[in-house]
Amino acid sequence: MPLGGDGGAPYLRIEGVTKRFAGHAAVNNVSLDIGRGEFFALLGPSGCGKTTLLRMLAGFERPDAGAILIDGQDMAQVPPYLRPVNMMFQSYALFPHMTVASNVGFGLRQDKRPKDEIATRVSKVLDLVHMGRHAQRKPGQLSGGERQRVALARALVKEPKLLLLDEPMAALDRKLREETRFELVRIQNRVGITFIMVTHDQEEAMTTASRVAVMQSGNIVQVGTPREVYEQPATRFVADFIGAVNLFDGKVVEARDGAVSVIVEGLDVPIQAQGAPLAAGTAVSLAIRPEKIVLTAAKPEGASNLVQGVVREIAYRGDLSTYRIDLPSQKAVRATVPNIDRLAGPAVEVGQQAWLSWSVSAPVVLTQ
Amino acid sequence: MREGRAGRRAVIAIPYLWLLLFFMVPFAIVLKISFAETALGIPPFTPLIGPDDDGKTSLLASLANYRLIGDDFLYLRAYLNSLKFAAGATVCCLLIGYPLAYGIARAPRAWRGLLLMLVILPFWTSYLIRVYAWIGLLKGNGIINNLLIWAGLIGDPLPLLNNAFAVYLGLTYSYLPYMILPLYAQLEKLDPTLLEAAADLGCPPSRAFWNVTLPLSLPGIAAGCLLVFIPMVGEFVIPDLLGGPDTLMIGKVLWDEFFTNRDWPVASALAVSMLVLVVIPMALLRKHLGGGEAR
Ligand SMILES: Nc1ncnc2c1ncn2[C@@H]1O[C@H](COP(=O)(O)OP(=O)(O)OP(=O)(O)O)[C@@H](O)[C@H]1O
Ligand SMILES: [Mg+2]
């Protein structure tokens, strides 16, 4: 299932959408298909156009070019209040003159739902975000995280076909965030809502989304499952943006079937990597994830890639430790070691020499 | 630390001293005169403390002036008339001022300064001259009537001047900027994403106005209405110049008592009762509105 949902025609189709502000393209020729019931995450650095893209889907900005189709229907002439879309705003946009409960019930009142149905649905969704106690407060009397939860509840309560969440959990603490994430996935499974979520938290995107898109200055540079994006980043930017990575710039010196040797500045031996056949002399970047580097005190036998360096820093992170190792060329390399291994094997301490090795499948060869 | 506190006290104290000196003291004098009786001479009223009928020095306060105001129907009618005109013109100001203020607040940022400037522009001309100008416009052979006759729309001139219509018009015209400015200040603060949020939740723009914009502009409406209503009640120039015999307002009566009848005590009593009847309920209302709004 390429779309992660129920297959078939995509629920949301974005075709070559462009939005310019004062000549500068905030969203540039973006095309995306999102399936029904999919949990889609948008990732990208600040200012890359994520909010602008969502605002076009909700109908607050008119695309300068391209089309947006929801369930096969062109949205160009459909005003925001008639779209089957609810958006949670990055700035929350809670109505300051209404209580939490009437904020959340606002959308249901617009649909003229019966009073008691509104009351039960509002209190249910408020309990979901742990805001039931504060139902009668005004937004001005809430903390930032509480306001965010109310905004989330207000977007959720109508159970729209398409829900747009602009950084829905940025102000929540870790525990609440995990809980909310779990609830979102549950709601999605139960009601079959299609989610598009903007987030800066990669872990959030990786664990909840069925697919992620990475944006860079208005363009979508890669779309795929979290695993694909992490394991096979399409560009140097994606590799660098998603997760920690060691990047080596170099040139292909030799290419055999399915494998390349890349000479990297500062290393005297070429790095062996798997990858598409490339002509010798092609400039490439190699991306190696820190957890794919094996760190040993003694020289390992038969490793295909092996370098030596000095441990400069060890950061303890609970389940893992991150080592910073300086190569002879002064280039810093990061390696993570599960602490269970670290405590079992011979210790490598700060200031000591250590051996770094990795398999031929560890580096990803990037040409752009 | 200590110095800072003293400085803060001084900052608060100076305007209060100003108010005390130039508002409370004159008001106390007016209050004092209102308990006196008229007398021929300078000043034209009896002292409050002096020899009584038995020759003893005592307080000579009398409530006779207030009793007179209460008994004479003229004063009550003028007072009710003032309230009626002020209320009607306040509603007119609100109905005209709200769309204007809304339009300015929603105009492109570069335009707003200019549009506000146009609202304040009439202040560059003397208030009195502007009211006089209306006479030229409204009178029987004035510009408006002549224009209508010339266009063949009417045969005889319309009675536009020296009636209630002219007073409403003059009041609305003169006080409109005082309504627009606080409304604009309030509407400009309104976050446009709130309207987007309303639309997103299925609320068309017309309904969003009643559900979001209007409730959030209530403080501005209250401020604007108070700002125009209170001075309108005491307005004297407009009913005098544009009004007729049946548009008597309390400000005009006060003026006549003071300058025509030279009855300072009755004029003072009128001023005091006007303050009590208008300002105090307004102040209470304002406090109530201010307290009801969550910050
Ligand atoms: N109304 C606007 N007028 C002019 N420029 C705008 C407007 N809205 C957004 N932009 C610009 O468009 C670009 C994309 O903005 P957008 O809000 O979509 O970024 P974002 O990816 O959501 O960033 P963040 O992660 O910081 O929220 C930015 O450079 C921004 O300055
Ligand atoms: Mg944003």
Side-chain angles (χ1 to χ4, degrees):
Chain A
M1 271 189 306
L3 296 177
D6 61 1
Y11 181 65
L12 170 69
R13 165 160 273 179
I14 304 172
E15 285 175 354
V17 161
T18 297
K19 178 74 199 179
R20 286 185 207 90
F21 289 118
H24 163 82
V27 170
N28 188 17
N29 194 18
V30 163
S31 295
L32 260 182
D33 281 349
I34 294 175
R36 200 183 298 274
E38 195 172 357
F39 203 126
F40 195 89
L42 268 180
L43 280 171
S46 183
C48 70
K50 306 178 295 288
T51 299
T52 306
L53 184 59
L54 291 198
R55 286 175 57 80
M56 285 192 283
L57 297 182
F60 304 131
E61 308 279 3
R62 189 178 283 273
D64 291 319
I68 293 166
L69 285 87
I70 296 179
D71 216 358
Q73 194 197 348
D74 190 348
M75 287 289 125
Q77 301 305 324
V78 183
Y81 57 91
L82 294 179
R83 296 193 183 195
V85 176
N86 278 164
M87 173 155 169
M88 179 192 161
F89 290 77
Q90 195 171 10
S91 59
Y92 315 150
L94 297 175
F95 304 122
H97 59 298
M98 296 183 195
T99 62
V100 166
S102 34
N103 259 287
V104 175
F106 187 86
L108 297 173
R109 288 200 299 278
Q110 300 311 312
D111 290 354
K112 308 252 174 349
R113 312 299 310 171
K115 273 227 165 55
D116 42 341
E117 183 198 321
I118 295 180
T120 46
R121 281 173 74 171
V122 165
S123 76
K124 228 164 107 187
V125 75
L126 280 179
D127 286 342
L128 195 92
V129 295
H130 301 274
M131 284 298 294
R133 283 181 307 136
H134 299 321
Q136 293 314 316
R137 290 221 197 152
K138 295 271 179 74
Q141 300 164 306
L142 301 175
S143 77
E146 287 168 342
R147 258 176 263 169
Q148 188 160 41
R149 281 182 271 161
V150 176
L152 182 60
R154 191 177 68 174
L156 279 174
V157 75
K158 285 187 81 173
E159 301 189 343
K161 297 276 175 48
L162 178 59
L163 190 57
L164 310 173
L165 304 171
D166 202 346
E167 300 192 26
M169 295 172 248
L172 305 186
D173 63 72
R174 195 185 161 81
K175 187 165 167 291
L176 198 56
R177 196 184 291 204
E178 260 168 31
E179 234 173 87
T180 311
R181 203 152 74 195
F182 179 72
E183 282 301 339
L184 286 183
V185 173
R186 239 178 43 120
I187 293 171
Q188 187 220 8
N189 289 338
R190 185 167 57 80
V191 200
I193 300 179
T194 307
F195 279 74
I196 301 182
M197 177 171 79
V198 168
T199 174
H200 278 295
D201 183 341
Q202 292 169 25
E203 193 196 327
E204 195 167 284
M206 293 301 195
T207 51
T208 40
S210 52
R211 280 196 309 158
V212 301
V214 182
M215 285 185 78
Q216 179 188 11
S217 45
N219 298 289
I220 290 197
V221 278
Q222 189 172 7
V223 186
T225 63
R227 196 192 172 94
E228 280 165 7
V229 173
Y230 187 80
E231 301 283 349
Q232 268 105 45
T235 68
R236 202 189 140 93
F237 170 83
V238 175
D240 202 18
F241 188 75
I242 307 285
V245 74
N246 296 297
L247 284 165
F248 296 93
D249 296 325
K251 268 198 173 67
V252 176
V253 284
E254 199 193 337
R256 280 157 284 112
D257 39 10
V260 285
S261 298
V262 177
I263 185 85
V264 165
E265 46 180 300
L267 287 185
D268 8 318
V269 277
I271 295 179
Q272 310 296 324
Q274 290 177 339
L278 289 167
T282 316
V284 293
S285 297
L286 295 179
I288 308 172
R289 298 287 179 196
E291 70 273 15
K292 298 205 170 152
I293 295 179
V294 181
L295 186 78
T296 45
K299 185 173 179 174
E301 292 297 317
S304 29
N305 290 296
L306 187 66
V307 291
Q308 200 180 19
V310 183
V311 176
R312 288 291 174 213
E313 204 180 296
I314 305 176
Y316 179 75
R317 281 175 32 201
D319 48 349
L320 305 166
S321 289
T322 301
Y323 287 67
R324 190 167 69 84
I325 301 115
D326 280 358
L327 300 186
S329 63
Q330 299 306 314
K331 183 177 171 62
V333 172
R334 295 218 290 170
T336 50
V337 178
N339 278 334
I340 192 157
D341 294 355
R342 183 183 163 199
L343 299 175
V348 186
E349 296 302 337
V350 173
Q352 287 181 354
Q353 291 278 337
W355 290 95
L356 306 175
S357 56
W358 57 87
S359 70
V360 283
S361 62
V364 180
V365 184
L366 303 167
T367 52
Q368 48 170 317
Chain B
M1 189 70 192
R2 212 157 243 284
E3 221 172 86
R5 219 200 258 163
R8 204 178 318 156
R9 279 204 190 132
V11 167
I12 299 171
I14 288 167
Y16 273 91
L17 261 171
W18 178 273
L19 275 178
L20 187 75
L21 213 61
F22 295 107
F23 179 74
M24 291 313 278
V25 170
F27 181 72
I29 296 172
V30 169
L31 190 66
K32 173 188 142 297
I33 298 173
S34 75
F35 293 119
E37 281 167 35
T38 25
L40 286 172
I42 298 170
F45 52 87
T46 56
L48 211 53
I49 294 166
D52 61 9
D53 298 342
D54 305 337
K56 274 193 296 180
T57 303
S58 63
L59 193 66
L60 296 174
S62 101
L63 289 174
N65 300 317
Y66 289 96
R67 226 172 283 135
L68 176 78
I69 293 172
D71 290 345
D72 193 333
F73 188 62
L74 169 92
Y75 297 110
L76 185 66
R77 209 182 54 162
Y79 180 69
L80 290 178
N81 239 348
S82 296
L83 288 186
K84 185 188 82 183
F85 281 116
T90 300
V91 171
C92 292
C93 278
L94 184 62
L95 291 181
I96 300 170
Y98 199 100
L100 273 175
Y102 189 87
I104 298 172
R106 288 284 160 274
R109 196 166 286 277
W111 283 63
R112 288 182 209 165
L114 178 73
L115 292 171
L116 274 182
M117 183 75 181
L118 290 176
V119 169
I120 321 174
L121 199 64
F123 289 142
W124 261 256
T125 315
S126 155
Y127 167 61
L128 218 57
I129 292 177
R130 283 182 286 132
V131 178
Y132 265 113
W134 275 109
I135 299 178
L137 284 168
L138 298 175
K139 64 184 175 189
N141 58 351
I143 294 177
I144 293 177
N145 271 319
N146 283 346
L147 207 68
L148 290 176
I149 292 171
W150 174 79
L153 291 173
I154 50 172
D156 297 315
L158 295 172
L160 297 176
L161 194 59
N162 300 119
N163 54 17
F165 166 77
V167 173
Y168 280 122
L169 185 76
L171 287 173
T172 305
Y173 162 77
S174 302
Y175 285 90
L176 190 59
Y178 298 103
M179 179 63 93
I180 293 178
L181 294 179
L183 277 176
Y184 166 78
Q186 189 75 38
L187 286 168
E188 204 246 0
K189 272 196 301 188
L190 187 97
D191 181 1
T193 50
L194 292 181
L195 296 176
E196 291 180 348
D200 188 67
L201 294 164
C203 186
S206 55
R207 222 182 311 149
F209 175 80
W210 295 104
N211 285 334
V212 179
T213 309
L214 194 67
L216 285 175
S217 54
L218 277 181
I221 294 178
C225 287
L226 283 177
L227 216 54
V228 303
F229 181 78
I230 293 173
M232 273 182 191
V233 173
E235 179 58 50
F236 146 74
V237 173
I238 292 170
D240 192 41
L241 294 181
L242 304 180
D246 54 345
T247 61
L248 198 59
M249 284 174 71
I250 197 78
K252 175 85 172 84
V253 172
L254 208 152
W255 171 275
D256 287 343
E257 289 295 350
F258 217 90
F259 294 100
T260 316
N261 297 350
R262 271 184 72 77
D263 192 341
W264 288 24
V266 167
S268 300
L270 266 176
V272 172
S273 23
M274 214 165 88
L275 189 85
V276 171
L277 287 170
V278 177
V279 176
I280 291 177
M282 287 290 144
L284 288 178
L285 178 76
R286 203 188 143 82
K287 198 172 163 191
H288 179 72
L289 274 180
E293 187 204 351
R295 283 274 104 217

